[in-house]
Amino acid sequence: MNRVLAPLCHGYNRQINSSLVLVKVGWQYRIPSTTQYYQRFVSTDSSNTANKADSSSSPERTPSTSSSSSSFSPSSPGPSPSPSQKSSNRPATLPPDWDENPDFNIQAFADLPSSNFGVNQHIVINNEFKEALRQILWQFRAPIRYAFAYGSGVFPQTGSSSMEPSSLHPKPSPAISTMQKGSGKMIDFIFGVSYTQHWHSLNLQQHRDHYSAVGSLGSSFVSRIQDNYGAGVYFNPYITVNGTLIKYGVVNLDTLCRDLSEWDTLYLAGRLQKPVKILRDDPRVRLANQVNLISAVRTALLLLPPGFTEQDLYNTITGISYLGDPRMSLGVENLHKVANIVRHQLPNFRRLYAPLIENLPNVSFQDPRCSSPSWIDDPDTNAILVQDMDPKKRGNMVRRLPKNFREKLYFQYQSKFQIPQLEFNKMMESSSDEDPSRVKRKQGGPFEQQVAGDEQISLNKEVSATITKIIKWPSYSQSVKSIVTAGLKNSWRYLKEKWEKNREGRKKAIEQDQGKVDSSSSGQMGNGDQKGNTP
């Protein structure tokens, strides 16, 4: 089912987290660039213990002897990012044009564009909860180079929780029980690995019970299913580790980085466009994900008017990954999922995207509420942003979109503008990123400016159609693959749970709408009584 992205505004209510301190520069508040603050921004730990815990993959477990130890841990503490390069009193968070020609073959965090590069990706969560998640990773002897936890089991998507403790987790740690408030939600993980077959070979030896009957065919067959079908992810759902029910997906790092940088399938890139908790970091993935995040902002800006709110922006970004998702079209997903995610995670979205937004030359926060030192963690502030609609700047945004997405969008407009094939081929060749012998500055030409200058309704339609084409087939084939890899029993259980969430979402929406109607009716009756009683 085709959908068109449209910004939405919703209310929200959440506890204020005051862990992010800003310093005042002019009328705005900025993140201080000190090593001590960086440690606080990345993690709630007050010592280097947490940073050591991030380095959870030990070198002796890695199949390649050429990897350096720096590839196994997140970046060592460094200065924190300033969210703006617009103030002359502050250094820029990111080097100018860092995303022009990024080197995705880097091996160490020291090779990143700056020492604090990508710190915005590390969302702060409860320290005990974070350690409980890390302890789950330690139960896998196969080397995990990159890992993150995501979903409603880590970041709540509703304001209420179950009144009675759930028995979903057999024996969870106190930290998990406390954070989930008795709701008992399965925790989702993604594991990035260097060598798919090697990883499954080791994991099959240790955890044969994690696999369906497919595991009996050996690691070679499992790895072929993972890498050659769907979105390149192999999921094992409903697995109990440390008394906690989890689902984990395994992906090759090359597949992950390609999706993040080019939007090959948007399957994992879409997940990482929302707040996740990174438990093990990798320099290549951090760089590719920063490209993914700024690409999501640029795409959303193409879909938004000159003035909009934070919620408009984050709703648009979150909605990208659900276009073409079969779970939405088949009714097995909560139709209000996007709004729920943004409403209850607004401060985390702000942490993730504010440094990138403030470094873009054509968009800025224009809200006096941003001068408050607590703004970054305030869930009750829905700041106003404005963007420059100059065709040249918007054409540059189009030119800097991810390669696979950009090419498909060009084909959409070739058909709309009826550009002859020979002329179109020359244009595509001139905008190619494949020539490694020259460093090309990605500047939009007349065609890109024409695309960006299309009327808003038409542009939204073409962009949404392009995203749907990217997502639809990989998502459908990944869903079919998951029936085989997870087994019929687990697949049916998963579908039943999703259908239940969909029903709950519809029921809540009906109740909210009914409440609004009742409130409106009572207000009108009150007005009528007042009029009737007027002498």
Side-chain angles (χ1 to χ4, degrees), residues 529-535:
D529 291 342
Q530 290 176 1
K531 292 178 180 179
N533 293 330
T534 301

Side-chain angles (χ1 to χ4, degrees), residues 168 238 245 488-497:
L168 182 69
Y238 302 107
L245 195 68
L488 290 175
K489 182 179 178 181
N490 284 336
S491 298
W492 177 244
R493 179 180 177 182
Y494 177 82
L495 286 173
K496 284 177 63 178
E497 291 178 357

Side-chain angles (χ1 to χ4, degrees), residues 127-152:
N127 196 47
E128 289 75 20
F129 184 43
K130 175 183 64 180
E131 285 303 317
L133 297 178
R134 283 180 175 150
Q135 289 301 315
I136 290 174
L137 300 187
W138 278 107
Q139 303 309 309
F140 293 84
R141 289 198 293 266
I144 301 170
R145 294 287 298 274
Y146 180 84
F148 66 88
Y150 67 100
S152 58

